[in-house]
Amino acid sequence: QVQLVESGGGLVQAGGSLRLSCAASGRTFSRCAMGWFRQAPGKEREFVAAIIWSGVNTSYADSVKGRFTISRDNAKNTVYLQMNSLKPEDTAVYYCAADSQGWNLYRIYEYYDYWGQGTQVTVSS
């Protein structure tokens, strides 16, 4: 079992930055691949970024590539999403998720086993 708690969301102006954190409890975190997804009102949940258990490999949605960076600290049981050059279209609830099979970089949310409650990110124009 892995419990996930996101933090770091808020209101920011376009062009600004935020860093989201996802703190995990449970002894299996270091063996999980982790993903960030987001969901805007009236839209489906979409993939943002993923990182394998070791942190060596990552994957990004085209819409955030070059602006967002996913990273993890297994000693702290935490995964991060650094978001730079934010745009109004980045406004959404951001969720972190854990995949027990730690070597995958899935972009499909159904493949993830555990989810956090989400944190709101609002980017004003």
Side-chain angles (χ1 to χ4, degrees):
Q1 284 282 346
V2 177
Q3 291 80 43
L4 304 172
V5 179
E6 302 96 334
S7 61
L11 174 64
V12 64
Q13 289 189 332
S17 297
L18 283 174
R19 188 176 81 156
L20 305 183
S21 298
C22 175
S25 61
R27 292 178 290 178
T28 60
F29 170 80
S30 62
R31 299 198 295 269
C32 292
M34 300 297 296
W36 284 97
F37 289 76
R38 66 187 182 186
Q39 189 166 18
K43 294 188 176 181
E44 292 190 354
R45 191 168 299 191
E46 66 172 355
F47 169 78
V48 175
I51 188 167
I52 67 169
W53 69 273
S54 66
V56 170
N57 292 338
T58 59
S59 177
Y60 296 92
D62 288 344
S63 59
V64 307
K65 198 172 295 183
R67 300 188 298 123
F68 290 11
T69 302
I70 188 171
S71 62
R72 66 190 295 161
D73 185 338
N74 287 342
K76 295 183 178 179
N77 276 15
T78 303
V79 62
Y80 304 98
L81 186 67
Q82 178 67 44
M83 306 186 295
N84 299 329
S85 302
L86 283 161
K87 305 175 181 180
E89 50 264 43
D90 294 318
T91 295
V93 177
Y94 283 71
Y95 299 89
C96 71
D99 168 21
S100 299
Q101 296 182 352
W103 53 88
N104 297 310
L105 292 171
Y106 288 131
R107 297 181 172 225
I108 303 173
Y109 70 84
E110 288 95 338
Y111 289 172
Y112 286 79
D113 304 302
Y114 306 102
W115 290 85
Q117 83 290 348
T119 185
Q120 176 71 46
V121 171
T122 303
V123 184
S124 63
S125 57

Tab-separated table of all heavy atoms in Angstrom, residues 55-109:
chain	number	residue	atom	x	y	z
A	55	GLY	N	14.598	7.009	-11.008
A	55	GLY	CA	14.732	8.402	-11.400
A	55	GLY	C	15.528	8.626	-12.669
A	55	GLY	O	15.636	9.760	-13.148
A	56	VAL	N	16.068	7.568	-13.244
A	56	VAL	CA	16.942	7.708	-14.410
A	56	VAL	C	16.152	8.084	-15.661
A	56	VAL	O	16.592	8.900	-16.469
A	56	VAL	CB	17.715	6.393	-14.655
A	56	VAL	CG1	18.442	6.437	-15.992
A	56	VAL	CG2	18.697	6.153	-13.521
A	57	ASN	N	14.980	7.496	-15.821
A	57	ASN	CA	14.167	7.750	-17.020
A	57	ASN	C	12.914	8.532	-16.665
A	57	ASN	O	12.259	8.272	-15.646
A	57	ASN	CB	13.766	6.435	-17.683
A	57	ASN	CG	14.962	5.711	-18.285
A	57	ASN	OD1	15.984	6.325	-18.567
A	57	ASN	ND2	14.825	4.422	-18.480
A	58	THR	N	12.588	9.477	-17.542
A	58	THR	CA	11.391	10.290	-17.367
A	58	THR	C	10.651	10.420	-18.695
A	58	THR	O	11.202	10.130	-19.769
A	58	THR	CB	11.735	11.697	-16.856
A	58	THR	OG1	12.623	12.329	-17.795
A	58	THR	CG2	12.395	11.653	-15.492
A	59	SER	N	9.402	10.865	-18.605
A	59	SER	CA	8.594	11.067	-19.793
A	59	SER	C	7.682	12.259	-19.543
A	59	SER	O	7.244	12.476	-18.406
A	59	SER	CB	7.752	9.814	-20.088
A	59	SER	OG	6.906	10.010	-21.199
A	60	TYR	N	7.421	13.035	-20.606
A	60	TYR	CA	6.611	14.239	-20.474
A	60	TYR	C	5.580	14.329	-21.597
A	60	TYR	O	5.833	13.900	-22.727
A	60	TYR	CB	7.490	15.487	-20.540
A	60	TYR	CG	8.473	15.609	-19.412
A	60	TYR	CD1	9.760	15.104	-19.535
A	60	TYR	CD2	8.109	16.221	-18.212
A	60	TYR	CE1	10.670	15.190	-18.484
A	60	TYR	CE2	9.007	16.322	-17.158
A	60	TYR	CZ	10.281	15.806	-17.309
A	60	TYR	OH	11.173	15.896	-16.266
A	61	ALA	N	4.452	14.922	-21.274
A	61	ALA	CA	3.503	15.291	-22.311
A	61	ALA	C	4.113	16.403	-23.162
A	61	ALA	O	4.869	17.236	-22.657
A	61	ALA	CB	2.195	15.765	-21.687
A	62	ASP	N	3.774	16.430	-24.426
A	62	ASP	CA	4.318	17.446	-25.322
A	62	ASP	C	3.976	18.855	-24.841
A	62	ASP	O	4.767	19.787	-25.015
A	62	ASP	CB	3.784	17.241	-26.739
A	62	ASP	CG	4.379	16.017	-27.417
A	62	ASP	OD1	5.411	15.511	-26.937
A	62	ASP	OD2	3.810	15.571	-28.429
A	63	SER	N	2.824	19.008	-24.227
A	63	SER	CA	2.362	20.323	-23.815
A	63	SER	C	3.189	20.924	-22.679
A	63	SER	O	3.130	22.140	-22.451
A	63	SER	CB	0.898	20.260	-23.391
A	63	SER	OG	0.725	19.344	-22.323
A	64	VAL	N	3.953	20.094	-21.963
A	64	VAL	CA	4.735	20.609	-20.835
A	64	VAL	C	6.237	20.415	-21.023
A	64	VAL	O	7.037	20.899	-20.209
A	64	VAL	CB	4.300	19.954	-19.508
A	64	VAL	CG1	2.791	20.098	-19.307
A	64	VAL	CG2	4.719	18.492	-19.437
A	65	LYS	N	6.628	19.725	-22.080
A	65	LYS	CA	8.044	19.424	-22.301
A	65	LYS	C	8.841	20.720	-22.397
A	65	LYS	O	8.456	21.655	-23.114
A	65	LYS	CB	8.196	18.591	-23.567
A	65	LYS	CG	9.510	17.847	-23.690
A	65	LYS	CD	9.484	16.903	-24.888
A	65	LYS	CE	8.454	15.801	-24.718
A	65	LYS	NZ	8.476	14.838	-25.850
A	66	GLY	N	9.947	20.771	-21.683
A	66	GLY	CA	10.778	21.967	-21.671
A	66	GLY	C	10.378	22.984	-20.614
A	66	GLY	O	11.125	23.931	-20.346
A	67	ARG	N	9.205	22.814	-20.031
A	67	ARG	CA	8.743	23.744	-18.985
A	67	ARG	C	8.642	23.064	-17.622
A	67	ARG	O	8.870	23.708	-16.597
A	67	ARG	CB	7.365	24.321	-19.348
A	67	ARG	CG	7.354	25.094	-20.642
A	67	ARG	CD	6.004	25.797	-20.850
A	67	ARG	NE	4.894	24.866	-20.953
A	67	ARG	CZ	3.826	24.899	-20.140
A	67	ARG	NH1	3.742	25.808	-19.177
A	67	ARG	NH2	2.838	24.026	-20.316
A	68	PHE	N	8.253	21.792	-17.601
A	68	PHE	CA	8.075	21.055	-16.351
A	68	PHE	C	9.203	20.038	-16.192
A	68	PHE	O	9.704	19.486	-17.177
A	68	PHE	CB	6.749	20.302	-16.364
A	68	PHE	CG	5.515	21.164	-16.289
A	68	PHE	CD1	5.560	22.549	-16.438
A	68	PHE	CD2	4.277	20.584	-16.062
A	68	PHE	CE1	4.423	23.329	-16.372
A	68	PHE	CE2	3.122	21.335	-15.986
A	68	PHE	CZ	3.195	22.717	-16.146
A	69	THR	N	9.556	19.767	-14.935
A	69	THR	CA	10.561	18.753	-14.626
A	69	THR	C	10.077	17.886	-13.479
A	69	THR	O	9.727	18.405	-12.420
A	69	THR	CB	11.898	19.390	-14.243
A	69	THR	OG1	12.360	20.235	-15.306
A	69	THR	CG2	12.946	18.317	-13.976
A	70	ILE	N	10.060	16.580	-13.699
A	70	ILE	CA	9.709	15.640	-12.644
A	70	ILE	C	10.989	15.085	-12.036
A	70	ILE	O	11.972	14.834	-12.747
A	70	ILE	CB	8.806	14.502	-13.180
A	70	ILE	CG1	8.281	13.631	-12.046
A	70	ILE	CG2	9.523	13.670	-14.243
A	70	ILE	CD1	7.208	12.636	-12.478
A	71	SER	N	10.989	14.925	-10.726
A	71	SER	CA	12.141	14.354	-10.040
A	71	SER	C	11.649	13.637	-8.794
A	71	SER	O	10.479	13.757	-8.421
A	71	SER	CB	13.152	15.446	-9.669
A	71	SER	OG	12.573	16.382	-8.779
A	72	ARG	N	12.539	12.889	-8.166
A	72	ARG	CA	12.148	12.162	-6.963
A	72	ARG	C	13.332	12.055	-6.018
A	72	ARG	O	14.501	12.061	-6.450
A	72	ARG	CB	11.611	10.775	-7.309
A	72	ARG	CG	12.626	9.811	-7.901
A	72	ARG	CD	11.926	8.559	-8.431
A	72	ARG	NE	11.303	7.796	-7.356
A	72	ARG	CZ	10.337	6.895	-7.551
A	72	ARG	NH1	9.898	6.636	-8.783
A	72	ARG	NH2	9.808	6.240	-6.524
A	73	ASP	N	13.010	11.919	-4.739
A	73	ASP	CA	14.002	11.692	-3.697
A	73	ASP	C	13.506	10.488	-2.906
A	73	ASP	O	12.623	10.620	-2.058
A	73	ASP	CB	14.136	12.937	-2.816
A	73	ASP	CG	15.238	12.806	-1.795
A	73	ASP	OD1	15.626	11.665	-1.469
A	73	ASP	OD2	15.704	13.840	-1.311
A	74	ASN	N	14.060	9.337	-3.203
A	74	ASN	CA	13.579	8.117	-2.558
A	74	ASN	C	13.895	8.098	-1.061
A	74	ASN	O	13.192	7.453	-0.291
A	74	ASN	CB	14.151	6.886	-3.246
A	74	ASN	CG	13.508	6.636	-4.604
A	74	ASN	OD1	12.425	7.159	-4.907
A	74	ASN	ND2	14.160	5.850	-5.436
A	75	ALA	N	14.924	8.801	-0.657
A	75	ALA	CA	15.248	8.871	0.769
A	75	ALA	C	14.177	9.648	1.536
A	75	ALA	O	13.968	9.403	2.727
A	75	ALA	CB	16.608	9.523	0.975
A	76	LYS	N	13.505	10.557	0.842
A	76	LYS	CA	12.450	11.359	1.467
A	76	LYS	C	11.061	10.888	1.074
A	76	LYS	O	10.066	11.512	1.443
A	76	LYS	CB	12.612	12.828	1.089
A	76	LYS	CG	13.891	13.460	1.618
A	76	LYS	CD	13.945	14.940	1.267
A	76	LYS	CE	15.203	15.584	1.850
A	76	LYS	NZ	15.292	17.029	1.508
A	77	ASN	N	10.987	9.815	0.301
A	77	ASN	CA	9.686	9.301	-0.151
A	77	ASN	C	8.851	10.396	-0.815
A	77	ASN	O	7.643	10.508	-0.550
A	77	ASN	CB	8.897	8.685	1.013
A	77	ASN	CG	9.288	7.245	1.279
A	77	ASN	OD1	10.312	6.776	0.797
A	77	ASN	ND2	8.470	6.549	2.048
A	78	THR	N	9.480	11.168	-1.666
A	78	THR	CA	8.800	12.317	-2.261
A	78	THR	C	9.113	12.418	-3.756
A	78	THR	O	10.251	12.179	-4.173
A	78	THR	CB	9.209	13.629	-1.566
A	78	THR	OG1	8.926	13.524	-0.170
A	78	THR	CG2	8.445	14.812	-2.131
A	79	VAL	N	8.092	12.764	-4.525
A	79	VAL	CA	8.272	13.076	-5.932
A	79	VAL	C	7.848	14.530	-6.147
A	79	VAL	O	6.947	15.032	-5.462
A	79	VAL	CB	7.468	12.107	-6.832
A	79	VAL	CG1	5.978	12.218	-6.577
A	79	VAL	CG2	7.779	12.316	-8.295
A	80	TYR	N	8.527	15.199	-7.058
A	80	TYR	CA	8.310	16.625	-7.280
A	80	TYR	C	7.920	16.883	-8.733
A	80	TYR	O	8.255	16.115	-9.639
A	80	TYR	CB	9.598	17.407	-6.972
A	80	TYR	CG	10.143	17.181	-5.598
A	80	TYR	CD1	11.170	16.264	-5.383
A	80	TYR	CD2	9.632	17.882	-4.509
A	80	TYR	CE1	11.682	16.048	-4.117
A	80	TYR	CE2	10.145	17.666	-3.234
A	80	TYR	CZ	11.163	16.754	-3.045
A	80	TYR	OH	11.665	16.532	-1.784
A	81	LEU	N	7.246	17.992	-8.927
A	81	LEU	CA	6.978	18.491	-10.268
A	81	LEU	C	7.288	19.988	-10.256
A	81	LEU	O	6.531	20.777	-9.687
A	81	LEU	CB	5.537	18.250	-10.700
A	81	LEU	CG	5.227	18.629	-12.150
A	81	LEU	CD1	5.968	17.702	-13.120
A	81	LEU	CD2	3.723	18.603	-12.427
A	82	GLN	N	8.417	20.346	-10.846
A	82	GLN	CA	8.783	21.758	-10.990
A	82	GLN	C	8.131	22.292	-12.250
A	82	GLN	O	8.358	21.757	-13.341
A	82	GLN	CB	10.302	21.909	-11.072
A	82	GLN	CG	10.771	23.332	-11.276
A	82	GLN	CD	10.489	24.228	-10.090
A	82	GLN	OE1	10.705	23.839	-8.945
A	82	GLN	NE2	10.003	25.437	-10.351
A	83	MET	N	7.330	23.328	-12.092
A	83	MET	CA	6.581	23.893	-13.213
A	83	MET	C	7.022	25.325	-13.444
A	83	MET	O	6.844	26.181	-12.565
A	83	MET	CB	5.077	23.828	-12.928
A	83	MET	CG	4.585	22.438	-12.574
A	83	MET	SD	2.791	22.345	-12.410
A	83	MET	CE	2.542	23.402	-10.990
A	84	ASN	N	7.624	25.575	-14.594
A	84	ASN	CA	8.091	26.909	-14.971
A	84	ASN	C	7.314	27.424	-16.177
A	84	ASN	O	6.664	26.649	-16.887
A	84	ASN	CB	9.582	26.864	-15.292
A	84	ASN	CG	10.428	26.436	-14.120
A	84	ASN	OD1	10.095	26.680	-12.961
A	84	ASN	ND2	11.542	25.781	-14.410
A	85	SER	N	7.405	28.704	-16.405
A	85	SER	CA	6.737	29.337	-17.556
A	85	SER	C	5.275	28.906	-17.650
A	85	SER	O	4.781	28.518	-18.709
A	85	SER	CB	7.475	28.980	-18.861
A	85	SER	OG	8.826	29.380	-18.807
A	86	LEU	N	4.590	28.994	-16.538
A	86	LEU	CA	3.209	28.518	-16.483
A	86	LEU	C	2.298	29.347	-17.378
A	86	LEU	O	2.483	30.555	-17.550
A	86	LEU	CB	2.714	28.535	-15.047
A	86	LEU	CG	3.232	27.360	-14.193
A	86	LEU	CD1	3.102	27.670	-12.710
A	86	LEU	CD2	2.476	26.096	-14.541
A	87	LYS	N	1.308	28.651	-17.936
A	87	LYS	CA	0.334	29.261	-18.830
A	87	LYS	C	-1.071	29.066	-18.249
A	87	LYS	O	-1.296	28.120	-17.487
A	87	LYS	CB	0.399	28.579	-20.199
A	87	LYS	CG	1.766	28.575	-20.848
A	87	LYS	CD	1.751	27.780	-22.133
A	87	LYS	CE	3.123	27.738	-22.785
A	87	LYS	NZ	3.116	26.950	-24.053
A	88	PRO	N	-2.009	29.930	-18.620
A	88	PRO	CA	-3.385	29.736	-18.130
A	88	PRO	C	-3.935	28.345	-18.432
A	88	PRO	O	-4.701	27.804	-17.630
A	88	PRO	CB	-4.164	30.831	-18.871
A	88	PRO	CG	-3.162	31.914	-19.088
A	88	PRO	CD	-1.861	31.187	-19.367
A	89	GLU	N	-3.545	27.759	-19.538
A	89	GLU	CA	-4.036	26.418	-19.884
A	89	GLU	C	-3.459	25.313	-19.004
A	89	GLU	O	-3.872	24.163	-19.102
A	89	GLU	CB	-3.773	26.096	-21.354
A	89	GLU	CG	-2.351	26.332	-21.819
A	89	GLU	CD	-2.170	27.692	-22.471
A	89	GLU	OE1	-2.703	28.705	-21.956
A	89	GLU	OE2	-1.466	27.739	-23.519
A	90	ASP	N	-2.513	25.658	-18.137
A	90	ASP	CA	-2.010	24.685	-17.155
A	90	ASP	C	-2.921	24.600	-15.932
A	90	ASP	O	-2.704	23.750	-15.060
A	90	ASP	CB	-0.597	25.061	-16.698
A	90	ASP	CG	0.430	24.958	-17.810
A	90	ASP	OD1	0.381	23.989	-18.584
A	90	ASP	OD2	1.285	25.873	-17.906
A	91	THR	N	-3.912	25.468	-15.851
A	91	THR	CA	-4.834	25.455	-14.723
A	91	THR	C	-5.582	24.136	-14.647
A	91	THR	O	-6.201	23.699	-15.626
A	91	THR	CB	-5.835	26.614	-14.846
A	91	THR	OG1	-5.131	27.849	-14.742
A	91	THR	CG2	-6.893	26.539	-13.749
A	92	ALA	N	-5.492	23.480	-13.496
A	92	ALA	CA	-6.115	22.167	-13.312
A	92	ALA	C	-5.872	21.703	-11.882
A	92	ALA	O	-5.083	22.311	-11.148
A	92	ALA	CB	-5.523	21.140	-14.286
A	93	VAL	N	-6.523	20.621	-11.521
A	93	VAL	CA	-6.161	19.887	-10.316
A	93	VAL	C	-5.079	18.890	-10.716
A	93	VAL	O	-5.257	18.142	-11.683
A	93	VAL	CB	-7.359	19.157	-9.697
A	93	VAL	CG1	-6.924	18.339	-8.492
A	93	VAL	CG2	-8.448	20.154	-9.309
A	94	TYR	N	-3.983	18.914	-9.994
A	94	TYR	CA	-2.856	18.038	-10.289
A	94	TYR	C	-2.828	16.880	-9.300
A	94	TYR	O	-2.930	17.083	-8.081
A	94	TYR	CB	-1.545	18.821	-10.229
A	94	TYR	CG	-1.322	19.671	-11.455
A	94	TYR	CD1	-2.102	20.804	-11.682
A	94	TYR	CD2	-0.353	19.343	-12.394
A	94	TYR	CE1	-1.920	21.587	-12.824
A	94	TYR	CE2	-0.160	20.116	-13.533
A	94	TYR	CZ	-0.945	21.227	-13.735
A	94	TYR	OH	-0.759	21.996	-14.859
A	95	TYR	N	-2.684	15.679	-9.847
A	95	TYR	CA	-2.661	14.469	-9.045
A	95	TYR	C	-1.342	13.727	-9.233
A	95	TYR	O	-0.830	13.650	-10.357
A	95	TYR	CB	-3.778	13.513	-9.473
A	95	TYR	CG	-5.179	14.051	-9.332
A	95	TYR	CD1	-5.773	14.759	-10.372
A	95	TYR	CD2	-5.909	13.847	-8.167
A	95	TYR	CE1	-7.059	15.243	-10.263
A	95	TYR	CE2	-7.201	14.332	-8.043
A	95	TYR	CZ	-7.762	15.040	-9.090
A	95	TYR	OH	-9.043	15.524	-8.968
A	96	CYS	N	-0.819	13.169	-8.151
A	96	CYS	CA	0.289	12.234	-8.317
A	96	CYS	C	-0.253	10.823	-8.175
A	96	CYS	O	-1.277	10.592	-7.537
A	96	CYS	CB	1.427	12.502	-7.344
A	96	CYS	SG	1.095	12.094	-5.636
A	97	ALA	N	0.451	9.895	-8.793
A	97	ALA	CA	0.013	8.513	-8.834
A	97	ALA	C	1.219	7.590	-8.788
A	97	ALA	O	2.309	7.956	-9.242
A	97	ALA	CB	-0.788	8.251	-10.106
A	98	ALA	N	1.005	6.396	-8.257
A	98	ALA	CA	2.076	5.411	-8.133
A	98	ALA	C	1.720	4.143	-8.894
A	98	ALA	O	0.592	3.651	-8.812
A	98	ALA	CB	2.313	5.082	-6.658
A	99	ASP	N	2.693	3.651	-9.613
A	99	ASP	CA	2.574	2.388	-10.358
A	99	ASP	C	3.511	1.379	-9.696
A	99	ASP	O	4.726	1.589	-9.679
A	99	ASP	CB	2.943	2.624	-11.819
A	99	ASP	CG	3.127	1.341	-12.616
A	99	ASP	OD1	2.600	0.283	-12.175
A	99	ASP	OD2	3.773	1.392	-13.667
A	100	SER	N	2.944	0.300	-9.188
A	100	SER	CA	3.740	-0.680	-8.446
A	100	SER	C	4.833	-1.317	-9.292
A	100	SER	O	5.845	-1.780	-8.757
A	100	SER	CB	2.823	-1.771	-7.891
A	100	SER	OG	1.877	-1.228	-7.004
A	101	GLN	N	4.628	-1.357	-10.605
A	101	GLN	CA	5.667	-1.874	-11.501
A	101	GLN	C	6.579	-0.706	-11.869
A	101	GLN	O	6.303	0.050	-12.783
A	101	GLN	CB	5.033	-2.501	-12.731
A	101	GLN	CG	4.192	-3.720	-12.385
A	101	GLN	CD	3.595	-4.393	-13.614
A	101	GLN	OE1	3.695	-3.868	-14.712
A	101	GLN	NE2	2.991	-5.541	-13.418
A	102	GLY	N	7.662	-0.574	-11.142
A	102	GLY	CA	8.453	0.648	-11.154
A	102	GLY	C	9.229	0.988	-12.391
A	102	GLY	O	9.836	2.054	-12.443
A	103	TRP	N	9.237	0.136	-13.402
A	103	TRP	CA	10.080	0.392	-14.574
A	103	TRP	C	9.293	0.981	-15.741
A	103	TRP	O	9.844	1.209	-16.813
A	103	TRP	CB	10.750	-0.919	-15.018
A	103	TRP	CG	9.768	-2.027	-15.232
A	103	TRP	CD1	9.080	-2.330	-16.372
A	103	TRP	CD2	9.354	-2.977	-14.250
A	103	TRP	NE1	8.255	-3.404	-16.159
A	103	TRP	CE2	8.399	-3.842	-14.881
A	103	TRP	CE3	9.659	-3.197	-12.915
A	103	TRP	CZ2	7.790	-4.886	-14.198
A	103	TRP	CZ3	9.054	-4.239	-12.233
A	103	TRP	CH2	8.134	-5.062	-12.884
A	104	ASN	N	7.980	1.203	-15.567
A	104	ASN	CA	7.165	1.706	-16.664
A	104	ASN	C	7.011	3.217	-16.619
A	104	ASN	O	7.093	3.827	-15.560
A	104	ASN	CB	5.763	1.080	-16.615
A	104	ASN	CG	5.813	-0.421	-16.795
A	104	ASN	OD1	6.429	-0.915	-17.723
A	104	ASN	ND2	5.165	-1.148	-15.903
A	105	LEU	N	6.746	3.801	-17.753
A	105	LEU	CA	6.443	5.232	-17.863
A	105	LEU	C	5.083	5.359	-18.544
A	105	LEU	O	4.966	5.894	-19.643
A	105	LEU	CB	7.532	5.951	-18.661
A	105	LEU	CG	8.893	6.038	-17.994
A	105	LEU	CD1	9.939	6.571	-18.975
A	105	LEU	CD2	8.851	6.928	-16.759
A	106	TYR	N	4.063	4.834	-17.841
A	106	TYR	CA	2.738	4.821	-18.430
A	106	TYR	C	2.147	6.219	-18.535
A	106	TYR	O	2.320	7.051	-17.647
A	106	TYR	CB	1.788	3.959	-17.601
A	106	TYR	CG	2.040	2.478	-17.715
A	106	TYR	CD1	2.124	1.688	-16.580
A	106	TYR	CD2	2.169	1.864	-18.948
A	106	TYR	CE1	2.339	0.320	-16.667
A	106	TYR	CE2	2.389	0.504	-19.047
A	106	TYR	CZ	2.477	-0.264	-17.909
A	106	TYR	OH	2.682	-1.614	-17.999
A	107	ARG	N	1.423	6.441	-19.620
A	107	ARG	CA	0.709	7.693	-19.828
A	107	ARG	C	-0.803	7.509	-19.656
A	107	ARG	O	-1.556	8.464	-19.850
A	107	ARG	CB	1.009	8.238	-21.222
A	107	ARG	CG	2.466	8.584	-21.423
A	107	ARG	CD	2.744	9.147	-22.803
A	107	ARG	NE	4.106	9.636	-22.895
A	107	ARG	CZ	4.453	10.793	-23.443
A	107	ARG	NH1	3.516	11.568	-23.962
A	107	ARG	NH2	5.704	11.174	-23.480
A	108	ILE	N	-1.198	6.329	-19.307
A	108	ILE	CA	-2.616	5.998	-19.163
A	108	ILE	C	-2.936	5.882	-17.694
A	108	ILE	O	-2.346	5.054	-16.989
A	108	ILE	CB	-2.951	4.689	-19.900
A	108	ILE	CG1	-2.568	4.816	-21.376
A	108	ILE	CG2	-4.427	4.339	-19.746
A	108	ILE	CD1	-2.694	3.542	-22.159
A	109	TYR	N	-3.872	6.678	-17.209
A	109	TYR	CA	-4.081	6.745	-15.763
A	109	TYR	C	-4.630	5.439	-15.195
A	109	TYR	O	-4.378	5.132	-14.021
A	109	TYR	CB	-4.971	7.915	-15.382
A	109	TYR	CG	-6.434	7.823	-15.779
A	109	TYR	CD1	-7.357	7.146	-14.984
A	109	TYR	CD2	-6.899	8.441	-16.942
A	109	TYR	CE1	-8.685	7.080	-15.338
A	109	TYR	CE2	-8.232	8.369	-17.303
A	109	TYR	CZ	-9.113	7.689	-16.494
A	109	TYR	OH	-10.446	7.620	-16.850
